[in-house]
Amino acid sequence: MIPLGTAQMVIDIGRRKFISALGGGIVAWPLAARAQQPAMPVVGFLRSTSAADSTQLVTAFRQGLKEAGFVEDQNVAIEYRWADGEYARLPALATDLVRRPVIEIVATGATPAALAAKAATTTIPIIFTTGGDPVGLGLVASLNRPGGNVTGISFLVAQTGSKRLELLREIAPRAVSVGFLVNPNNPNADVESADTLKAAAVLGRQVQVVNATSESEINTAFATFVQRRVNAIIVSADAFFVDRRDQLVTLAARHALPAVYSLPELVAAGGLMSYGASQVDAYRQVGVYAGRILNGEKPADLPVVQPTKFELIINLKTAKTLGLALPDSLLVQATEVIE
């Protein structure tokens, strides 16, 4: 028979072990539950420009994600990679996102970003923006049925070249010789140049195509325009030119050259005029597509979106500085007039 004191001690020890085990289970259970929760999906955001140049467009992208049910840092994380206008950096940045790894890649800012992402992976879904023909560039098999792991938005930049020439004719009817500034490193350069030259022939204008891939070459390009006595210029859509917008606007003003741009950032910096697809609307749609893919849809089944909303933005202050009297018929067409 166990003595009474010994029996009481055994009971106490057993009770302490039970409570200890129970307490440990209480502590361990929520930790285990948290460990079993699915990890937050990570979206890679690859862009050819700088972060400073992209604030409004990133906001539009987040809005699209929100419409699809995703909010950054709540139920989705975003890894940003910026090339700062240096296209040569894009392949390494895209590879870095693939190794991260991310669940999908949003490749924006210029066609080289889309091509870099496509070259980096054949399995991770990609949503791109491009000013070129996605089929001709090899990004997708067709617009309606992209196939593979890639879909996105096409801005149709090349097809709007004729509209920019028409705008120049309205604001500077005597501008017969027009300079066209392009970045030859952009895969869309040849197509955009060809479209502009074709439109010039129809409108009775002469176009001087000049290349620039660096700050010094931009200076040389404007010297060439002056030497060739062009009356106005068009600047092609390119992330490199967005990053060099202050230089472009300053040179156009110095040489009193009316200039039409493809992107609104250059008009906000003091450029005369821009015409093109709405960037904000397009990036919202990119966010919607990113959200739909997060929800399980396949890029191959999502048609490439083409723009339906175009914007004409005019800087009236710059027009007055250049001595241009803009017709009311043009001003009423403007989406935005900067006073």
Side-chain angles (χ1 to χ4, degrees):
M1 176 180 295
I2 302 174
L4 182 60
T6 303
Q8 183 64 44
M9 182 175 65
V10 170
I11 292 172
D12 289 343
I13 293 172
R15 183 183 296 116
R16 285 198 297 271
K17 286 183 177 180
F18 173 76
I19 293 173
S20 175
L22 181 62
I26 292 172
V27 172
W29 180 80
L31 292 175
R34 287 198 295 269
Q36 292 172 3
Q37 290 178 355
M40 188 181 296
V42 180
V43 173
F45 189 93
L46 176 66
R47 184 160 170 81
S48 53
T49 68
S50 67
D53 293 330
S54 309
T55 303
Q56 185 181 28
L57 301 182
V58 170
T59 298
F61 168 69
R62 290 172 179 151
Q63 176 59 37
L65 270 177
K66 186 176 181 180
E67 291 175 20
F70 293 91
V71 177
E72 186 176 8
D73 294 332
Q74 291 187 17
N75 59 353
V76 66
I78 304 176
E79 284 280 335
Y80 297 95
R81 299 293 185 274
W82 312 96
D84 297 326
E86 299 176 22
Y87 293 161
R89 296 177 56 197
L90 288 165
L93 293 174
T95 300
D96 181 50
L97 287 173
V98 171
R99 290 174 179 169
R100 164 75 174 75
V102 295
I103 199 168
E104 63 184 6
I105 297 175
V106 174
T108 71
T111 299
L115 293 174
K118 183 175 172 62
T121 178
T122 58
T123 55
I124 297 175
I126 297 168
I127 308 100
F128 63 77
T129 62
T130 179
D133 172 15
V135 178
L137 291 165
L139 289 170
V140 297
S142 73
L143 297 180
N144 290 331
R145 300 287 292 181
N149 63 315
V150 182
T151 189
I153 315 294
S154 175
F155 291 120
L156 301 178
V157 167
Q159 291 87 333
T160 53
S162 58
K163 178 63 175 179
R164 294 187 190 98
L165 272 174
E166 290 173 5
L167 291 170
L168 270 181
R169 186 174 61 176
E170 284 194 62
I171 63 176
R174 296 182 180 179
V176 176
S177 180
V178 177
F180 185 54
L181 184 65
V182 297
N183 178 3
N185 292 334
N186 192 318
N188 301 326
D190 289 343
V191 174
E192 194 173 354
S193 297
D195 180 75
T196 301
L197 289 167
K198 182 179 178 180
V202 173
L203 296 172
R205 296 292 186 269
Q206 297 175 348
V207 171
Q208 309 281 340
V209 179
V210 178
N211 296 332
T213 62
S214 66
E215 289 187 23
S216 62
E217 288 184 2
I218 290 176
N219 290 329
T220 301
F222 272 83
T224 301
F225 289 146
V226 173
Q227 183 182 19
R228 295 181 183 178
R229 298 184 179 181
V230 302
N231 310 118
I233 62 170
I234 296 175
V235 178
S236 66
D238 194 277
F240 166 69
F241 293 144
V242 173
D243 281 350
R244 304 302 186 275
R245 59 190 178 278
D246 290 336
Q247 180 187 10
L248 289 167
V249 169
T250 298
L251 286 169
R254 180 182 302 164
H255 297 292
L257 289 170
V260 176
Y261 305 95
S262 302
L263 300 169
E265 293 93 331
L266 290 101
V267 182
L272 174 62
M273 181 184 304
S274 69
Y275 177 80
S278 169
Q279 298 277 304
V280 170
D281 188 61
Y283 276 76
R284 183 195 62 79
Q285 183 60 55
V286 168
V288 170
Y289 262 20
R292 290 176 65 176
I293 291 172
L294 287 171
N295 280 323
E297 295 190 59
K298 305 297 183 184
D301 301 326
L302 297 175
V304 174
V305 177
Q306 298 182 71
T308 58
K309 182 179 180 182
F310 292 83
E311 295 179 333
L312 170 61
I313 302 176
I314 298 172
N315 191 316
L316 201 58
K317 180 179 178 181
T318 302
K320 291 177 180 178
T321 301
L322 291 169
L324 298 174
L326 302 184
D328 291 339
S329 59
L330 180 63
L331 293 173
V332 296
Q333 298 177 48
T335 309
E336 179 182 355
V337 176
I338 299 174
E339 299 286 351

